Amino acid sequence: MEKIENSIEGKGGSPLLDESGSALNNSHVRRDGKAVGFVLVHAGAGYHSESKAKEYKHVCKRACLRAVDKLKAGAKAVEAVTAALIELEDSPFTNAGTGSNLNLSGEIECDASIMDGKSLHYGAVGALSGIKNPVLVARRLLSEAQKGKLSAGRIPPCFLVGRGAQQWAENHGIPPCPSEKMATKFSLSAYKRNKRKMELAEKVETEQIQAKKRRQLNEHVNNDSACLDTVGAIVVDQEGNVAAAVSSGGLAMKHPGRVGQAAHYGCGCWAQNACNISPYSTAVSTSGCGEHLIRTMLARECSTAMQSENAHQALLEVMQSQFISSPFLASEDCVLGGVIVLRCCRCVDTQSSPNLQALLVEFLWSHTTESMCVGYMSAQDSKAKTHISRLPPGAVAGQSLAIEGGVCRLGSISD
């Protein structure tokens, strides 16, 4: 398997570069008491056409701005990551919330999850219809679980699916939204086109050929419609708390009731604050083929790997050995997925005072798909940076990987 390292991570004190070749600002030191923090978002690992690159980057910028606005207002990481996801879900260009793929029955069913690195609580919904922002339901499940047991000592749910999830959301004040209002012209036309192809295949082929054609068709359906799986975000706030979230409309023409990695624990996202045995706080959000990501629990695997000394090398190795070459995916010849990760730790701020500490944040993204769109921003930045990462010419999607990233120092905090 080919390993492709397209890293922009600085080495030996050399400056870090953004996509335009400009030096990244890695000396965000808070001297005036303003809030600090950092957000990294993705608009899916899949295929991003050049003709729509501007739209993909724009939605990532808006998501970063929403999260940073929350951080500047003093919000915790979990609130900032929720704000970023709402922006990503509301865009008609992403396969999450509004504009999600339609399933075989012509309906929208969404998955989403969120994790708070401080409390380690998690909330998720699967195959959810009729709710404009699935991440809000996941977020509410997380917050309700933090309140403790229900009446008669019942354990509060952290993961709900289908009609039960929708009823729970409405009972907790989250307004319903008709699926027809969440569908877009693009998602509807893609559904009609894909349905015609499937109906034609069913008419003219025998069962054996039909099964093979359906597998090929499913691949073609998702490529042809240029659908992007799973959007997500990861955040670190001024106190060093981390949070992660993910949301998806799932694969085009999926079977009703199918739940992808975006809702599964340890598969769609992961967030965990530093502790005695883990020196780094870590946050991860994934994207790609849900079944591949579920069977490898990639989000948690990446988080664990980030405790290694060299973050870049650790992510490279886990993507290669625990994903592309995973024994759990031995029968797959094309393993598709992508991740955004960050890790942070406190360090003495030598520019200010020995009694002050800064947050050192390393952030990375990696993918085996043709491309992945990301955006990132610190609370001290005036605007977000965006980038569409692509496999180099000649690289084979599903068998090769790209990895990039950077590092920044966030403002001083009292020890």
Side-chain angles (χ1 to χ4, degrees):
M1 301 294 182
E2 186 178 1
K3 298 180 183 177
I4 300 166
E5 300 180 52
N6 293 332
S7 176
I8 57 172
E9 188 177 17
K11 296 181 180 180
S14 60
L16 301 170
L17 304 179
D18 66 14
E19 62 189 289
S20 65
S22 302
L24 289 173
N25 181 356
N26 65 347
S27 58
H28 299 309
V29 179
R30 186 183 69 182
R31 301 179 186 277
D32 54 7
K34 292 184 179 179
V36 300
F38 179 83
V39 57
L40 172 61
V41 308
H42 71 80
Y47 173 72
H48 302 76
S49 66
E50 293 288 356
S51 63
K52 293 184 179 179
K54 184 177 180 180
E55 285 85 354
Y56 300 140
K57 290 181 177 181
H58 189 53
V59 68
C60 284
K61 285 183 179 179
R62 293 201 310 269
C64 288
L65 287 169
R66 295 295 177 270
V68 166
D69 285 345
K70 289 288 185 179
L71 291 172
K72 287 182 176 179
K76 302 297 183 184
V78 71
E79 298 300 335
V81 84
T82 302
L85 259 291
I86 290 173
E87 190 67 36
L88 291 167
E89 288 178 337
D90 286 347
S91 171
F93 295 102
T94 63
N95 176 28
T98 301
S100 288
N101 288 326
L102 277 64
N103 65 16
L104 278 172
S105 301
E107 300 172 345
I108 289 177
E109 293 183 330
C110 296
D111 307 326
S113 64
I114 187 170
M115 189 168 180
D116 175 19
K118 182 177 182 180
S119 67
L120 300 182
H121 277 278
Y122 147 91
V125 291
L128 173 66
S129 297
I131 299 294
K132 183 172 181 281
N133 294 111
V135 72
L136 285 178
V137 189
R139 172 69 183 93
R140 188 61 182 271
L141 280 164
L142 184 152
S143 62
E144 290 297 316
Q146 290 177 320
K147 296 177 181 179
K149 293 182 179 180
L150 304 175
S151 60
R154 292 174 298 143
I155 301 297
C158 66
F159 183 8
L160 293 174
V161 299
R163 180 58 186 162
Q166 183 180 359
Q167 290 175 338
W168 189 95
E170 294 176 9
N171 290 341
H172 286 79
I174 299 175
C177 178
S179 291
E180 54 268 26
K181 289 189 177 182
M182 295 175 66
T184 62
K185 290 181 178 179
F186 175 77
S187 62
L188 286 170
S189 63
Y191 169 74
K192 292 176 182 177
R193 183 172 63 251
N194 294 328
K195 188 174 182 181
R196 285 195 299 269
K197 292 176 183 176
M198 294 188 72
E199 290 174 345
L200 179 61
E202 289 172 353
K203 288 180 180 178
V204 301
E205 279 140 18
T206 64
E207 289 186 7
Q208 184 177 5
I209 298 176
Q210 182 181 22
K212 180 179 179 181
K213 283 288 186 178
R214 278 182 174 176
R215 287 194 298 270
Q216 294 172 343
L217 179 60
N218 284 335
E219 295 175 3
H220 181 65
V221 160
N222 288 286
N223 289 331
D224 182 56
S225 61
C227 69
L228 306 175
D229 189 40
T230 321
V231 299
I234 50 181
V235 169
V236 55
D237 64 26
Q238 61 184 342
E239 296 178 0
N241 300 314
V242 293
V246 62
S247 182
S248 178
L251 297 174
M253 307 303 285
K254 65 184 180 182
H255 194 283
R258 180 262 191 188
V259 177
Q261 106 286 353
H264 282 79
Y265 187 71
C267 305
C269 68
W270 192 265
Q272 188 169 1
N273 279 12
C275 61
N276 292 336
I277 60 174
S278 301
Y280 295 100
S281 295
T282 60
V284 182
S285 182
T286 69
S287 177
C289 177
E291 282 67 21
H292 294 171
L293 296 162
I294 291 170
R295 289 159 64 187
T296 55
M297 296 192 70
L298 189 61
R300 189 169 182 178
E301 290 285 354
C302 288
S303 175
T304 301
M306 286 301 98
Q307 298 300 330
S308 301
E309 182 178 352
N310 187 319
H312 178 278
Q313 185 63 29
L315 182 59
L316 177 65
E317 290 177 359
V318 77
M319 287 294 290
Q320 180 65 56
S321 63
Q322 303 299 318
F323 192 58
I324 293 178
S325 302
S326 170
F328 297 100
L329 300 177
S331 62
E332 304 290 342
D333 56 6
C334 185
V335 180
L336 299 170
V339 297
I340 55 173
V341 303
L342 69 75
R343 74 176 187 181
C344 64
C345 64
R346 298 190 181 193
C347 58
V348 175
D349 187 356
T350 56
Q351 300 182 43
S352 298
S353 166
N355 296 322
L356 293 177
Q357 293 183 337
L359 285 173
L360 185 65
V361 180
E362 296 175 81
F363 57 97
L364 296 159
W365 54 88
S366 181
H367 58 95
T368 66
T369 54
E370 291 188 38
S371 59
M372 187 172 190
C373 185
V374 299
Y376 54 94
M377 183 179 185
S378 82
Q380 283 73 37
D381 290 330
S382 59
K383 60 181 181 180
K385 296 180 176 66
T386 58
H387 176 55
I388 296 182
S389 174
R390 299 185 187 277
L391 292 176
V396 180
Q399 300 178 5
S400 310
L401 66 90
I403 181 169
E404 302 178 85
V407 60
C408 66
R409 184 185 297 270
L410 300 179
S412 304
I413 53 180
S414 298
D415 190 0

